[in-house]
């Protein structure tokens, strides 16, 4: 079982090219006479591709049939069995809508949510693994982190492909222009203004932009760097910004601790993807070997509990909820802790408040939940994560500042980096809020949320 929370990555050593070269000395004859680094990475990628093929079920043909068994047994069985009853339940609702439009429309929305959720999972899982340019790029990123070609998984390759695609819009707008600017030596006033405009357009924020420009300028004053080296130095500045908040964190790897209850409180404004993120985290935990339970404690938002239950069904995760309306969220958390302790679960995901209208009430509610946790699970490992919609840019950052004042946040989950958002918002979060980004989402599919790696993020943002 592949554990995403304890995935082998090395974000600091970005250039151990010697390891891939050693691993691929034999297949090197397959490649043409080109420069050594590209030849090494291409051979490394070919070896990795063959290893992934060999690990697939060997009963049928290589790619299209071998990929589906490894990823879809648990995910596709549910979608195939569940959609069939839905048309039956929808048809009566359409007829009844004429007599009872007000309350029946809510039911229709819930059914639509179920149908959409199931359809997204089905479409996403059928893409076959192919040896293309994105595979080679993904392999290069893994090799540069010191990974061996026989030690990577198909899931990792697919994730890096999705990450690169999600940041494609930001990358295309940044790379070529940055190269042409930083390759001209020390930055003059015009060049500084150009870089500043580029970074601000990418939602990097004023503080992070100022830090990037001053650090880059100091370096270019010391020595003239060609465009490629200047871009590599820029990448190191971005990684330093993203990794700085981890220096004050006890658990940099952010893996649930075995043998103790881990409680993750998730908060965020309505529409940021909080409930969806909880469902994806539950799936990620189950796939990584952790027993997980969800507590639906956002009891004041319409359909929030029902939406959590839909995700619970999709991921085979128990959901603890109070059947009443406008019930006390702290009571739901109490029940969730009791259920997690009784089942000896590793992780309890809590869907908490998503309102900013009254910060005082928000603080009171979260404080009450904390008191319940302290009494009921004194030894639990507690994390408080803010779910932030990356498409909101600086508006989302202002929301995050309000939540960071109201809640004792320990990290951020950045969602919706699927091509419409600008990747620079990750730098703004790390620089201005001094909070580590723990997870990143690049789409609506159930597999589109993964633990954050600054190295992989920066490479996907600034690599051609």
């Amino acid at each position: 079982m592949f554990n995403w929370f304890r995935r082998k990555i090395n974000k600091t050593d970005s250039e151990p090219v010697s390891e891939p070269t050693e691993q691929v000395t034999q297949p090197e004859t397959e490649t043409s006479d080109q420069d050594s680094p590209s030849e090494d990475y291409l051979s490394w990628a070919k070896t990795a591709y063959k290893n992934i093929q060999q690990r697939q079920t060997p009963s049928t043909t290589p790619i299209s049939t071998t990929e589906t068994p490894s990823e879809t047994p648990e995910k596709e069985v549910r979608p195939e069995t569940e959609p069939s009853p839905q048309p039956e339940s929808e048809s009566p609702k359409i007829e009844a809508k004429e007599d009872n439009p007000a309350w029946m429309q809510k039911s229709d929305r819930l059914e639509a949510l179920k149908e959409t959720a199931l359809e997204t999972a089905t479409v996403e899982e059928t893409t076959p693994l192919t040896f293309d340019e994105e595979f080679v790029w993904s392999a290069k990123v893994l090799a540069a982190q010191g990974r061996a070609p026989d030690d990577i998984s198909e899931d990792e390759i697919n994730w890096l492909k999705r990450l690169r695609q999600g940041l494609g819009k930001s990358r295309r707008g940044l790379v070529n222009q940055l190269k042409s600017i930083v390759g001209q030596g020390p930055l003059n006033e015009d060049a500084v203004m150009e870089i500043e405009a580029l970074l601000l357009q990418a939602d990097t924020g004023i503080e992070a932009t100022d830090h990037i420009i001053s650090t880059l300028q100091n370096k270019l004053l010391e020595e003239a760097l060609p465009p490629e080296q200047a871009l590599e130095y820029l990448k190191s500045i971005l990684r330093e910004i993203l990794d700085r908040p981890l220096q004050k964190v006890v658990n940099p790897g952010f893996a649930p601790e075995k043998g103790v209850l881990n409680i993750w409180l998730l908060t965020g404004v309505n529409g940021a993807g909080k409930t969806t993120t909880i469902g994806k985290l539950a799936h990620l935990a189950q796939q990584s070997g952790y027993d997980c339970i969800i507590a639906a404690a956002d009891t004041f938002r319409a359909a929030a509990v029902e939406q959590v239950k839909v995700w619970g069904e999709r991921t085979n995760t128990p959901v603890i909820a109070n059947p009443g309306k406008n019930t006390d969220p702290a009571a739901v958390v109490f029940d969730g802790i009791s259920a997690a302790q009784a089942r000896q679960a590793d992780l309890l995901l809590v869907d908490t408040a998503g309102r900013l209208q009254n910060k005082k009430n928000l603080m009171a509610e979260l404080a009450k939940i904390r008191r319940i946790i302290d009494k009921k699970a004194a030894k639990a490992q507690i994390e408080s994560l803010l779910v932030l919609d990356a498409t909101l840019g600086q508006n989302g950052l202002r929301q995050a500042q309000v939540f960071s004042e109201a809640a004792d946040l320990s990290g951020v989950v950045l969602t919706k980096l699927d091509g419409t958002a600008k990747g620079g918002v990750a730098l703004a979060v790390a620089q201005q809020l001094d909070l580590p980004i723990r997870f990143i989402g690049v789409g609506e599919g159930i597999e589109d949320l993964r633990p954050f790696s600054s190295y992989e993020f920066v490479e996907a943002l600034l690599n051609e």
Side-chain angles (χ1 to χ4, degrees), residues 296-336:
D298 189 0
T299 56
F300 295 101
R301 181 168 72 85
V305 175
E306 288 80 2
Q307 190 179 2
V308 170
K309 287 179 178 177
V310 170
W311 279 100
E313 292 172 7
R314 286 186 59 191
T315 59
N316 280 335
T317 305
V319 175
I320 308 301
N322 194 311
K325 292 183 179 180
N326 295 337
T327 53
D328 185 6
V332 178
V333 175
F334 183 92
D335 293 341

Side-chain angles (χ1 to χ4, degrees), residues 244-255:
R244 192 187 305 138
L246 292 172
Q247 295 174 3
K248 61 175 186 179
V249 171
V250 179
N251 180 13
F254 208 68

Side-chain angles (χ1 to χ4, degrees), residues 72-103:
T72 54
E74 296 183 5
K75 299 168 202 145
E76 291 206 342
V77 170
R78 270 173 258 125
E80 301 218 354
T81 53
E82 288 186 73
S84 53
Q86 284 183 354
E88 298 173 9
S89 60
E90 273 190 89
S91 53
K93 285 184 171 58
I94 293 170
E95 295 172 9
K97 199 185 283 187
E98 298 174 2
D99 300 325
N100 304 292
W103 62 271

Side-chain angles (χ1 to χ4, degrees), residues 2 8 44 48 51 55 142 146-153 156:
F2 187 77
K8 298 175 186 175
W44 196 97
N51 287 331
R55 285 198 299 269
L142 292 169
R147 299 291 297 278
D150 59 349
D151 187 35
I152 65 169
S153 71
E156 290 179 283

Side-chain angles (χ1 to χ4, degrees), residues 39 162 293 341 381 437:
E39 198 171 305
R162 289 196 295 270
I293 289 179
Q341 291 172 337
Q381 298 293 323
I437 298 170

Side-chain angles (χ1 to χ4, degrees), residues 206-227:
I206 295 175
E207 289 184 26
T209 299
D210 289 344
H211 175 76
I212 292 166
I213 288 176
S214 59
T215 309
L216 185 61
Q217 174 74 303
N218 291 337
K219 178 68 174 177
L220 294 178
L221 285 171
E222 292 175 7
E223 57 178 316
L225 297 176

Side-chain angles (χ1 to χ4, degrees), residues 183-448:
Q184 297 172 3
L187 304 179
N188 56 32
E189 188 176 345
D190 291 339
V192 168
M193 291 179 66
E194 284 184 64
I195 294 180
E196 185 176 21
L198 282 173
L199 293 173
L200 290 175
Q201 287 168 17
D203 280 338
T204 304
I206 295 175
E207 289 184 26
T209 299
D210 289 344
H211 175 76
I212 292 166
I213 288 176
S214 59
T215 309
L216 185 61
Q217 174 74 303
N218 291 337
K219 178 68 174 177
L220 294 178
L221 285 171
E222 292 175 7
E223 57 178 316
L225 297 176
E228 293 292 338
Q229 290 184 29
L231 194 61
E232 286 302 315
Y233 185 72
L234 178 60
K235 289 180 184 178
S236 70
I237 299 173
L238 303 190
R239 288 196 297 269
E240 183 268 331
I241 292 175
L242 294 169
D243 288 335
R244 192 187 305 138
L246 292 172
Q247 295 174 3
K248 61 175 186 179
V249 171
V250 179
N251 180 13
F254 208 68
E257 187 178 330
K258 285 284 188 179
V260 66
L261 178 59
N262 300 266
I263 302 176
W264 292 359
L265 307 172
L266 282 96
T267 189
V269 296
N270 296 338
K274 176 167 57 77
T275 307
T276 303
T277 296
I278 286 177
K280 293 178 182 179
L281 281 174
H283 172 74
L284 188 63
Q286 301 279 16
Q287 294 297 100
S288 299
Y290 298 97
D291 292 325
C292 181
I293 289 179
I294 300 174
D298 189 0
T299 56
F300 295 101
R301 181 168 72 85
V305 175
E306 288 80 2
Q307 190 179 2
V308 170
K309 287 179 178 177
V310 170
W311 279 100
E313 292 172 7
R314 286 186 59 191
T315 59
N316 280 335
T317 305
V319 175
I320 308 301
N322 194 311
K325 292 183 179 180
N326 295 337
T327 53
D328 185 6
V332 178
V333 175
F334 183 92
D335 293 341
I337 294 173
S338 300
Q341 291 172 337
R343 303 181 194 205
Q344 296 183 332
D346 301 306
L347 180 62
L348 173 64
L349 297 171
V350 181
D351 186 8
T352 66
R355 301 176 309 286
L356 276 177
Q357 288 84 345
N358 192 325
K359 189 169 71 171
K360 185 178 178 181
N361 289 348
L362 173 65
M363 291 177 68
E365 184 177 313
L366 294 174
K368 187 176 181 181
I369 289 175
R370 286 287 189 138
R371 288 196 298 272
I372 291 293
I373 294 173
D374 291 340
K375 289 179 182 178
K376 184 72 176 169
K379 295 182 180 179
Q381 298 293 323
I382 305 170
E383 300 287 349
S384 182
L385 301 175
L386 173 68
V387 179
L388 189 61
D389 181 351
T391 61
L392 296 180
Q394 294 301 302
N395 290 330
L397 202 63
R398 282 190 284 274
Q399 292 175 1
Q401 287 170 334
V402 175
F403 270 106
S404 65
E405 294 168 9
D408 186 15
L409 296 178
S410 59
V412 172
V413 180
L414 204 56
T415 64
K416 305 185 183 180
L417 274 168
D418 55 357
T420 54
K422 298 169 184 176
V425 69
L427 298 158
V429 167
Q431 180 75 20
Q432 291 179 235
L433 302 181
D434 196 26
L435 287 171
I437 298 170
R438 291 305 198 175
F439 296 91
I440 183 172
V442 295
E444 295 299 324
I446 199 170
E447 298 283 348
D448 288 337

